[in-house]
Amino acid sequence: MNNPDNKDFRDQLGKFRLESISTGPTPAWSHPDSSTSTSTPDLSHSNLHSASASAAAAARSKRVSTACDFCRKRKKKCDFRYPNCSACTRAGVRCTIPPPGPQVASASVPRDQLENLQKRVQWLEEVVHRKSGISVADLVTGTPVDGEGDPDWWYQVPAMIATGGNRPRTSSMSSPNGSRGSSVTTAPAGSETSTGVGAELPNVGEIFRDQLEHRRPSVARPASAPRVLRLSSLEEAERLADQYFESMGYQYPFMSRPEFMAQLRHIYTGGVPSPEVHNAYHVIIAISLLIGSADATRAAEFYNASQETLPLALQNEDLPAVRALLGIALYTMFATSGPSIWHVLGATMRLSISMGLHKDRAHSSMMEEEMAKRAFWSLYNLDRLIASTLGRPLGIADEDISVSLPRELNDDGMEAPGTSAMTIPVQVIRLRRIFSRIYRYLYSNLPRPSPQEVATTLGQFRREVDDWRMSAPVYPSALLYSTSYYDYLYYTTLLLMYRPSARNPTPDLTSIVSCGDSSIQVIRSYWDSYSVGKLKWIWLTLSQVYFAGITILWCLEQNARSLRESQPAPWHPDEQMMRRGIQAVVVLLEEFGKRRAGVDRLAETFRHQSTMIFSQMAYQQQQQQQQQQLEQQLEQKPLPPPPPPPPPQAYPPVLMNQAAVPLAPPPGPPVPLAPVLDDVLLVDGSGGMPMIDPQMADQLYYSYNWFQEEMASYYTL
């Protein structure tokens, strides 16, 4: 006897036919309220309602179409039990039914497959309705849903699904021949106009949300991409591309210059790029515009255009997806909008590891192997730089990397060690590997080593870094990057190695001297770039400038502490060079404050600290001069006779056997501000006489950690 559950399933199964989908605007199964009531007679019996001949024919069609194959062959009634009817259960065979509607296939379909398909179609309709606002359940199959005929609208659907946005309104411009032209997406009414991608793409994790929840195999990308932004001419585009490859391309060579230039010419001759080429072209132009300190609005337009094909570029685990994420990372280094570079690099590192880019493995061609290496080592370089700047863990351990360094190939594919465009990136990677071991040794939660061990280990690191600088070849085609850029990397590595760290909080005299000298050289390199108008006003530059300036103050404080303890000063810098270095930091921080709100507070903190340090230095110099004058006067006058010994006194028994306890010297007078020290000392003009803070050295040390957290929070890193 049939139970109500079997009956409901039979009714639903009978209505799930291809004919019902093609003849009516609304599938019957999508409306549970329209199902046959429980009082409807069983379709397997002959007492069906016969109000009309058509109703009887439809009932017979349901009865025939829902009987299983086993019962139909035996010409027996089927009780429609799910997933196996009683006859199939007794016979021990699988219960299958013929395909609904016309016989489009000879294979039978299991009942559970039909129900799964039914539930999946309903789920997909709900997803489309929730994400795009289109109720496809109420539309006939084949109804156009492409935004009033806009052919480019569907390219925006993946981005809307990834960001959870609603369907945008599109206004299409008709071409002269009557076909639709390019479409312009407009924001919903009442919404704020987005100046960057921050509101649309706040976190790269949203891009992978659907992929993480529903894994899927790799599929082919579309052959063409949506609208393409073009500059005024091909010459301007080639100039900006050259500017990128001659700066960021030397540091992070994940893009092939000949291939990119060929694609650039294809775009400007009317060609339609593929999605991955579309994404790479727009993001590279956006980065180059920011490198040249151009209008950020224009760069944001190209970056926003690249986001239209970002979901397609990221749909597979392959090299174009890695390049797309690296492009986002470089853009967010320069721009104030976009996702967090820390999140982007984390996603890129996991994607690269899942692809096995960190392992030495075979490839189909030498060029494919080299481009995979370049992408991974570019990611490695960025990971080390950002992690050390923000004081965070490294993305991958060096022990887990087995892939070799890229080969030094020219653009024509010929290997030329020391004279190739890949010479500079290879040298940078070699230094980053030393840099990585220094960072892991000094900036970790491992127990503190002994001072002897630290001195020995730092000595070994210093020899490796010195050998790297001495052996780094000069590349004449990029003289700036193979000389001054090498020097900058060399001194920033020494600064990381010698400044106070978690496992070496109290550096020795050698570390103090190296910190001071390296900081002056780092500031000098930035000042040289500023003088010729090539300084990059990005948060990394701000970080390095502040770190170097605060390290100079820390070294000066170590000198002052040694003098207070009647010991010689460990660091003897060139006075004029040191003062110019401090002045350069003050000027650069002020210039940053003009371009980025909030940096003025940082500049004021540095002014106050430098004023206090130089005031302390001036006071100590004055005390030394007075001491020297007093000694000279004593040498010129005859010494007076010694005073007579005091008469014996009776001491208490308790104190006679104890040594005399020296009393602390009385507090000295307040230290006045130094009047004028060249044009370096910045005095607020109040004329006050502040006391020197005895914990100045500790404040300077902890300002490293303070600034890392402050910068990461302010720049949403």
Side-chain angles (χ1 to χ4, degrees):
M1 182 175 180
N2 296 338
N3 55 39
D5 293 338
N6 293 333
K7 177 180 177 299
D8 292 339
F9 173 75
R10 180 189 66 249
D11 293 341
Q12 293 291 334
L13 196 60
K15 294 176 181 179
F16 189 72
R17 296 179 300 153
L18 294 178
E19 295 93 326
S20 64
I21 299 177
S22 60
T23 57
T26 304
W29 59 266
S30 63
H31 298 279
D33 296 337
S34 64
S35 303
T36 306
S37 64
T38 55
S39 60
T40 304
D42 195 318
L43 295 179
S44 60
H45 301 288
S46 60
N47 53 350
L48 297 171
H49 293 286
S50 55
S52 64
S54 59
R60 288 194 300 272
S61 176
K62 289 182 181 180
R63 180 174 65 251
V64 174
S65 62
T66 56
C68 72
D69 294 333
F70 185 74
C71 293
R72 293 180 63 197
K73 290 179 181 179
R74 298 174 60 246
K75 297 183 179 180
K76 300 292 184 180
K77 290 184 179 180
C78 182
D79 59 1
F80 307 102
R81 290 184 180 272
Y82 177 81
N84 288 329
C85 68
S86 301
C88 291
T89 302
R90 290 192 299 269
V93 298
R94 188 177 186 184
C95 187
T96 61
I97 60 175
Q103 299 296 323
V104 297
S106 59
S108 300
V109 181
R111 296 177 186 271
D112 54 346
Q113 281 193 17
L114 276 180
E115 186 180 30
N116 291 337
L117 288 174
Q118 176 182 347
K119 293 180 178 179
R120 183 165 182 81
V121 170
Q122 185 177 7
W123 172 75
L124 289 174
E125 288 182 343
E126 293 175 354
V127 169
V128 173
H129 178 69
R130 184 171 63 254
K131 298 296 184 180
S132 63
I134 304 175
S135 180
V136 294
D138 300 332
L139 300 177
V140 179
T141 302
T143 302
V145 288
D146 57 353
E148 300 179 352
D150 180 13
D152 294 335
W153 181 81
W154 275 107
Y155 287 104
Q156 305 170 18
V157 173
M160 289 191 300
I161 294 179
T163 57
N166 293 326
R167 174 185 175 184
R169 297 197 309 269
T170 57
S171 57
S172 303
M173 297 179 294
S174 300
S175 57
N177 59 4
S179 60
R180 294 286 182 177
S182 60
S183 61
V184 180
T185 303
T186 59
S191 64
E192 297 181 358
T193 303
S194 176
T195 58
V197 78
E200 300 151 3
L201 186 61
N203 193 307
V204 76
E206 294 187 2
I207 301 173
F208 290 116
R209 182 177 56 196
D210 289 345
Q211 286 86 335
L212 294 175
E213 186 67 25
H214 306 290
R215 289 175 291 179
R216 58 184 180 180
S218 298
V219 295
R221 295 183 176 89
S224 61
R227 62 187 181 93
V228 179
L229 295 182
R230 292 180 175 86
L231 299 168
S232 59
S233 63
L234 174 61
E235 290 74 17
E236 182 184 3
E238 289 179 337
R239 179 183 60 82
L240 288 175
D242 290 335
Q243 182 175 334
Y244 168 84
F245 283 103
E246 291 173 2
S247 56
M248 305 305 293
Y250 284 128
Q251 303 175 39
Y252 313 104
F254 59 91
M255 293 293 298
S256 172
R257 186 172 187 170
E259 180 181 354
F260 182 86
M261 300 304 289
Q263 294 167 349
L264 187 70
R265 289 186 288 270
H266 174 69
I267 292 175
Y268 278 80
T269 54
V272 180
S274 61
E276 60 270 27
V277 173
H278 176 279
N279 176 268
Y281 158 73
H282 286 91
V283 77
I284 294 301
I285 296 298
I287 296 171
S288 185
L289 288 171
L290 292 179
I291 292 176
S293 300
D295 184 8
T297 305
R298 191 183 186 193
E301 291 177 358
F302 276 86
Y303 178 71
N304 292 336
S306 71
Q307 302 310 291
E308 297 178 8
T309 50
L310 181 61
L312 294 175
L314 298 178
Q315 73 178 12
N316 299 330
E317 289 192 4
D318 53 9
L319 210 53
V322 176
R323 292 197 192 108
L325 290 175
L326 288 174
I328 294 177
L330 292 186
Y331 178 83
T332 54
M333 286 176 58
F334 292 89
T336 57
S337 61
S340 162
I341 188 173
W342 178 254
H343 296 161
V344 172
L345 291 179
T348 313
M349 184 63 74
R350 288 191 174 273
L351 176 60
S352 300
I353 293 174
S354 67
M355 294 171 55
L357 297 184
H358 63 300
K359 297 180 180 180
D360 192 7
R361 55 193 181 92
H363 293 78
S364 59
S365 65
M366 183 190 69
M367 200 59 200
E368 179 184 350
E369 178 182 2
E370 289 303 310
M371 294 310 300
K373 290 181 180 179
R374 294 181 186 184
F376 174 77
W377 287 113
S378 298
L379 172 61
Y380 178 93
N381 189 0
L382 273 172
D383 173 75
R384 267 47 184 171
L385 175 62
I386 302 303
S388 61
T389 304
L390 298 179
R392 296 176 179 176
L394 303 178
I396 184 173
D398 287 81
E399 294 79 7
D400 296 330
I401 301 174
S402 60
V403 64
S404 59
L405 299 184
R407 299 168 63 180
E408 299 181 34
L409 301 177
N410 284 324
D411 292 342
D412 56 3
M414 300 298 293
E415 191 166 8
T419 60
S420 166
M422 281 299 298
T423 297
I424 295 176
V426 170
Q427 295 301 320
V428 174
I429 294 170
R430 288 173 178 167
L431 180 62
R432 289 298 185 198
R433 303 205 73 172
I434 306 174
F435 183 97
S436 178
R437 291 191 287 114
I438 295 173
Y439 186 74
R440 291 182 59 189
Y441 178 77
L442 294 174
Y443 301 86
S444 65
N445 294 326
L446 297 175
R448 290 182 183 177
S450 63
Q452 294 78 11
E453 178 188 341
V454 172
T456 302
T457 306
L458 292 184
Q460 295 174 353
F461 285 142
R462 180 60 182 268
R463 286 189 291 272
E464 292 185 46
V465 176
D466 290 345
D467 292 342
W468 171 85
R469 184 62 190 93
M470 295 297 295
S471 61
V474 176
Y475 182 49
S477 300
L479 189 61
L480 175 65
Y481 272 85
S482 58
T483 54
S484 60
Y485 183 56
Y486 285 165
D487 291 335
Y488 164 76
L489 293 176
Y490 172 77
Y491 288 114
T492 53
T493 303
L494 294 183
L495 191 57
L496 175 87
M497 182 169 60
Y498 286 118
R499 69 180 176 86
S501 58
R503 303 190 71 203
N504 186 28
T506 55
D508 56 8
L509 300 182
T510 303
S511 298
I512 296 174
V513 174
S514 300
C515 273
D517 294 341
S518 300
S519 298
I520 291 177
Q521 295 300 327
V522 170
I523 295 172
R524 184 177 180 179
S525 66
Y526 278 118
W527 184 260
D528 291 342
S529 299
Y530 171 73
S531 301
V532 296
K534 293 185 177 181
L535 185 67
K536 298 179 177 67
W537 300 100
I538 60 178
W539 64 271
L540 280 172
T541 302
L542 174 63
S543 172
Q544 296 290 351
V545 167
Y546 181 81
F547 277 176
I550 210 70
T551 303
I552 292 179
L553 298 184
W554 180 82
C555 294
L556 294 176
E557 171 60 23
Q558 298 304 306
N559 282 354
R561 175 173 293 186
S562 298
L563 294 177
R564 287 196 302 267
E565 297 174 355
S566 301
Q567 296 179 0
W571 186 38
H572 301 279
D574 181 84
E575 188 78 10
Q576 187 177 11
M577 185 178 295
M578 179 267 297
R579 295 177 185 275
R580 288 179 177 176
I582 296 296
Q583 180 67 27
V585 174
V586 173
V587 172
L588 292 177
L589 291 180
E590 289 178 346
E591 291 296 323
F592 263 104
K594 297 177 183 178
R595 292 167 171 81
R596 178 69 172 175
V599 183
D600 51 349
R601 183 168 62 90
L602 185 66
E604 182 62 30
T605 300
F606 187 82
R607 287 194 205 98
H608 173 71
Q609 292 172 334
S610 59
T611 299
M612 299 296 289
I613 290 295
F614 280 108
S615 299
Q616 186 178 15
M617 290 174 56
Y619 177 75
Q620 289 181 341
Q621 292 175 358
Q622 181 181 4
Q623 295 296 316
Q624 288 180 352
Q625 293 175 358
Q626 293 178 357
Q627 183 68 22
Q628 292 176 357
Q629 294 176 359
L630 180 61
E631 291 177 355
Q632 292 176 359
Q633 293 175 1
L634 292 177
E635 291 177 356
Q636 295 175 0
K637 294 182 179 180
L639 296 177
Q649 298 180 2
Y651 291 94
V654 178
L655 299 178
M656 290 183 64
N657 297 329
Q658 293 185 358
V661 179
L663 299 177
V671 181
L673 287 173
V676 173
L677 298 176
D678 300 333
D679 56 349
V680 176
L681 181 60
L682 303 179
V683 185
D684 58 4
S686 62
M689 301 173 64
M691 295 291 294
I692 289 297
D693 187 355
Q695 304 297 327
M696 178 64 71
D698 294 335
Q699 290 182 4
L700 294 179
Y701 165 62
Y702 285 115
S703 65
Y704 289 116
N705 298 333
W706 166 80
F707 182 64
Q708 287 173 338
E709 297 175 359
E710 180 83 2
M711 184 174 56
S713 175
Y714 188 75
Y715 283 89
T716 61
L717 302 175

